[in-house]
Amino acid sequence: WLLDFIRIRSGISLSTDSAYLLDSRLSPMIESLGLHGPEELVSLLRNPRSEVLRVQVLERMTTHETRFFRDLSPFEALGSRILPALARRAGASPLRAWCAACSTGQEPYSVAMVAEESRPSLGKVAVQVVATDISGKVVDRAASGIFSPLEVTKGLSSERLARHFEREGRHWRVRAELRRQVEFHQHNLVMESPPRGGFDVIFCRNVLIYFDRPTREAILERLLGALSPEGFLFLGSTEAPDSGSNRFKRVPDGAGGWCYRRLDAPPLEQAA
C-alpha cells in the first residue's frame, strides 16, 4: 500500500524489495508519533483528513542529494554559449530558467551565479530563475539561501563563495541581490502543470531515474510544453528521452556534455 501511495502521489517508483528504504526513512516518524509499526501508519494515512501526514511521508521518501555546480558542463555551457546567444535575440524580454526538483537550492543559485557572472555578455537582458520542488520544507529552506560550512565546500570555489555569499554566524547566506533573482515554489512535477510562461532553459536533472517509463514520458511531455521554441533542456547524465521519441533532439552543449532541444529548434547560432 505504501509503495502504491508513494508512486501515485509523487511518481517515485520503488520496487517491492525496497523495505529497507521504507524502514530507514519512515521508522523515525513512526517512533515520533508513538505508533507500534507501519501498519498503524498506513491506517492513519488512509484517513482522508490526514493530508499533513501524507505530505510528511512523501517528503521523507524524496531524495534531496544536490551540490553547487553539480556536473559542471551544463553551467559552463550556460555561461559561455547559451545565455549570451539567447540574450542577443531576446530584445527587452528577460530570459527565463526553470530548475525542477531543485532540492535545497544549490542548482538554481548556481544558475543565478552563472547569469550574474555572464552579465557583460548579456547586456541589459535580465535572467529570471524559477525553482520548484515537491517538498515545501525543502523549498522554504532553499529560499532562505542559508548553507552550512560543509554545503558550501561542495562544488563552490572560494572565489564564488566570497563574491556571492556573506557570513551569517557559522553559516553562509546567498547575497540578497542574488536571492532576488530566484523565485521558489512548491510544485509536484508528476501531478501539476509546469509554472506559467515559457522557459528558455530547463534543468530537470537526476529526477527521471526515480520514475517508471510512463511517468517519465508524461513529465518529458510537460517539459516540452514549457520549453520555448529555441530553448534548452538539461537532463541528468544517465537520463534521456525514450529512444523512439521524435519530439527531442540531443545536441552538444559546447562544454563537453549534451542537452536536449525541440526537434525543430534552430542551431544556436541562428537562435542568436
Side-chain angles (χ1 to χ4, degrees):
W1 188 92
L2 280 169
L3 293 178
D4 286 343
F5 165 73
I6 292 165
R7 177 181 54 78
I8 292 169
R9 287 292 298 265
S10 71
I12 298 172
S13 182
L14 301 173
S15 64
T16 54
D17 60 358
S18 299
Y20 74 96
L21 184 61
L22 291 170
D23 183 64
S24 64
R25 297 197 178 182
L26 297 183
S27 286
M29 171 182 284
I30 291 171
E31 184 177 348
S32 67
L33 292 172
L35 305 178
H36 293 96
E39 294 82 2
E40 290 190 13
L41 177 63
V42 168
S43 180
L44 291 176
L45 291 172
R46 287 179 181 273
N47 188 324
R49 293 176 292 181
S50 66
E51 185 60 25
V52 172
L53 183 61
R54 292 176 180 179
V55 170
Q56 291 174 348
V57 167
L58 291 174
E59 289 187 347
R60 284 183 176 270
M61 294 306 303
T62 304
T63 300
H64 295 294
E65 175 64 29
T66 186
R67 58 183 293 165
F68 291 101
F69 297 95
R70 183 177 183 181
D71 305 323
L72 189 57
S73 170
F75 301 100
E76 291 180 336
L78 195 66
S80 64
R81 299 182 68 236
I82 294 174
L83 287 181
L86 292 175
R88 287 193 290 271
R89 63 86 176 154
S93 301
L95 299 178
R96 303 185 74 228
W98 175 25
C99 293
C102 69
S103 187
T104 45
Q106 284 91 329
E107 182 177 81
Y109 286 127
S110 296
V111 172
M113 282 184 253
V114 168
E116 184 62 25
E117 293 164 6
S118 304
R119 179 54 47 201
S121 302
L122 305 185
K124 296 182 179 180
V125 177
V127 178
Q128 302 171 347
V129 184
V130 177
T132 64
D133 197 272
I134 191 174
S135 169
K137 182 178 180 180
V138 163
V139 164
D140 289 342
R141 189 187 160 209
S144 74
I146 298 174
F147 297 92
S148 71
L150 178 60
E151 288 172 322
V152 297
T153 65
K154 295 182 177 181
L156 200 62
S157 67
S158 57
E159 292 79 11
R160 279 176 165 146
L161 180 63
R163 177 175 180 178
H164 299 294
F165 291 74
E166 55 191 0
R167 279 277 192 182
E168 189 160 304
R170 294 181 59 252
H171 290 69
W172 292 86
R173 186 168 191 172
V174 180
R175 293 186 184 275
E177 57 268 26
L178 198 70
R179 293 202 312 274
R180 285 194 288 267
Q181 296 181 35
V182 186
E183 183 180 309
F184 288 94
H185 299 282
Q186 186 175 5
H187 174 264
N188 189 318
L189 193 59
V190 174
M191 301 182 69
E192 299 179 78
S193 298
R196 290 184 179 181
F199 291 94
D200 301 284
V201 179
I202 296 177
F203 281 71
C204 186
R205 303 188 305 148
N206 307 301
V207 181
L208 299 181
I209 54 176
Y210 296 105
F211 304 137
D212 58 24
R213 181 173 176 177
T215 304
R216 288 198 301 270
E217 292 177 351
I219 291 174
L220 283 168
E221 195 66 25
R222 290 193 180 104
L223 295 177
L224 181 70
L227 193 66
S228 69
E230 296 173 345
F232 294 78
L233 168 66
F234 288 98
L235 301 176
S237 58
T238 62
E239 299 169 326
D242 182 77
S243 59
S245 173
N246 60 356
R247 308 294 299 277
F248 292 94
K249 61 181 177 181
R250 189 172 82 148
V251 297
D253 66 15
W258 298 89
C259 58
Y260 296 86
R261 307 189 70 197
R262 290 174 176 271
L263 196 62
D264 58 352
L268 185 59
E269 292 73 21
Q270 292 183 25

